[in-house]
Amino acid sequence: MGLFELFHAAGSGARDPGLAIAVVGLYLAGVLALALLVRRRWPEQREWSRKLVHMGTGPVVLLAWALQIERGIALPVAAAVTVLTALNHRFRLLPAVEDVGRPSYGTVAYGASITVLLALFWPAQPAAVAAGVLVMAFGDGLAGLLGPLVRSPSWSLWGQRKSLVGTGAMAIASAAVLGLLWILQGPAGAGSGSGLAGWAAAGAPQAAAAILVLTALAVGLEQLSAYGLDNLSVPLAVGLLWSLLRP
């Protein structure tokens, strides 16, 4: 039994949807407030506040998992947030979230990917949702922060600059997130007897190989990031493959 399953067993029967929503709402408000402070303190670093929101929203999935937020709440809220993000992209109501000085639909695609993952896997496979979202949140977030700050060999794909440091940060953060999530989910379930899931559950070497495959998939797709569409491709691809490896 994984850590989150133990949490659920201890707290089952005491769920309060209103309290759960309030906790998530307060957390998101804190992330947004911090992003606005960063934007005000370092106005010349427009990417920082955006990446802070990008990284800060990822753990919401873990909160929703731990608090057992139901599908009937999680999915409509995610869809509504995506619509609000699209409106903000169009009208720039909160520049701290969108104003990066280049054409990008990343925030909208990010919200859309979370919504699709919830539609596909929530609540039956919350770890698949968490894998896709957290890899994008921390892997891509750290790549976007460290890549421009640390000088290293770089290249360009589809007009997007990529660097060795940024790509390395994406790989290390993705592998760390996926490895931790693999442990948190606990032993493989009953549906892991054959196919990819059976192979991944066979032992530690296979689990490590599975994490490396997921990491390579995330890093490869992140290279193709024109218009921020990696915010859609990376979470969906990682979440789908995770669902096959850890059903």
Side-chain angles (χ1 to χ4, degrees), residues 24 153 194 199 203 241:
V24 171
S194 62
W199 170 78
L241 183 54

PDB file of all heavy atoms in Angstrom, residues 24 153 194 199 203 241:
ATOM      1  N   VAL A  24      -7.389  23.910  -1.605  1.00  0.00           N
ATOM      2  CA  VAL A  24      -6.812  24.069  -2.940  1.00  0.00           C
ATOM      3  C   VAL A  24      -6.884  25.530  -3.382  1.00  0.00           C
ATOM      4  O   VAL A  24      -5.929  26.075  -3.940  1.00  0.00           O
ATOM      5  CB  VAL A  24      -7.525  23.158  -3.952  1.00  0.00           C
ATOM      6  CG1 VAL A  24      -7.084  23.480  -5.372  1.00  0.00           C
ATOM      7  CG2 VAL A  24      -7.262  21.697  -3.627  1.00  0.00           C
ATOM      8  N   PRO A 153      26.212  25.151 -23.936  1.00  0.00           N
ATOM      9  CA  PRO A 153      25.943  24.940 -25.368  1.00  0.00           C
ATOM     10  C   PRO A 153      24.445  24.927 -25.637  1.00  0.00           C
ATOM     11  O   PRO A 153      23.662  24.401 -24.846  1.00  0.00           O
ATOM     12  CB  PRO A 153      26.569  23.567 -25.634  1.00  0.00           C
ATOM     13  CG  PRO A 153      27.641  23.440 -24.607  1.00  0.00           C
ATOM     14  CD  PRO A 153      27.123  24.130 -23.384  1.00  0.00           C
ATOM     15  N   SER A 194       0.770  -8.780 -16.825  1.00  0.00           N
ATOM     16  CA  SER A 194       1.308  -9.033 -18.146  1.00  0.00           C
ATOM     17  C   SER A 194       1.529  -7.728 -18.887  1.00  0.00           C
ATOM     18  O   SER A 194       1.165  -6.651 -18.414  1.00  0.00           O
ATOM     19  CB  SER A 194       0.341  -9.924 -18.940  1.00  0.00           C
ATOM     20  OG  SER A 194      -0.905  -9.268 -19.104  1.00  0.00           O
ATOM     21  N   TRP A 199       5.971  -6.206 -17.011  1.00  0.00           N
ATOM     22  CA  TRP A 199       7.415  -6.006 -17.119  1.00  0.00           C
ATOM     23  C   TRP A 199       7.900  -4.961 -16.123  1.00  0.00           C
ATOM     24  O   TRP A 199       8.894  -5.170 -15.420  1.00  0.00           O
ATOM     25  CB  TRP A 199       7.758  -5.564 -18.539  1.00  0.00           C
ATOM     26  CG  TRP A 199       9.180  -5.098 -18.679  1.00  0.00           C
ATOM     27  CD1 TRP A 199      10.303  -5.866 -18.768  1.00  0.00           C
ATOM     28  CD2 TRP A 199       9.619  -3.732 -18.716  1.00  0.00           C
ATOM     29  NE1 TRP A 199      11.419  -5.067 -18.872  1.00  0.00           N
ATOM     30  CE2 TRP A 199      11.036  -3.757 -18.838  1.00  0.00           C
ATOM     31  CE3 TRP A 199       8.958  -2.501 -18.667  1.00  0.00           C
ATOM     32  CZ2 TRP A 199      11.788  -2.594 -18.911  1.00  0.00           C
ATOM     33  CZ3 TRP A 199       9.706  -1.344 -18.742  1.00  0.00           C
ATOM     34  CH2 TRP A 199      11.107  -1.397 -18.865  1.00  0.00           C
ATOM     35  N   GLY A 203      10.643  -5.881 -11.058  1.00  0.00           N
ATOM     36  CA  GLY A 203      11.712  -5.616 -10.105  1.00  0.00           C
ATOM     37  C   GLY A 203      12.267  -4.217 -10.252  1.00  0.00           C
ATOM     38  O   GLY A 203      11.860  -3.446 -11.132  1.00  0.00           O
ATOM     39  N   LEU A 241       1.492   6.945 -20.941  1.00  0.00           N
ATOM     40  CA  LEU A 241       2.456   5.851 -20.795  1.00  0.00           C
ATOM     41  C   LEU A 241       2.492   5.360 -19.350  1.00  0.00           C
ATOM     42  O   LEU A 241       2.602   4.150 -19.102  1.00  0.00           O
ATOM     43  CB  LEU A 241       3.840   6.310 -21.244  1.00  0.00           C
ATOM     44  CG  LEU A 241       4.937   5.237 -21.215  1.00  0.00           C
ATOM     45  CD1 LEU A 241       4.530   3.996 -22.009  1.00  0.00           C
ATOM     46  CD2 LEU A 241       6.264   5.806 -21.731  1.00  0.00           C
TER      47      LEU A 241
END
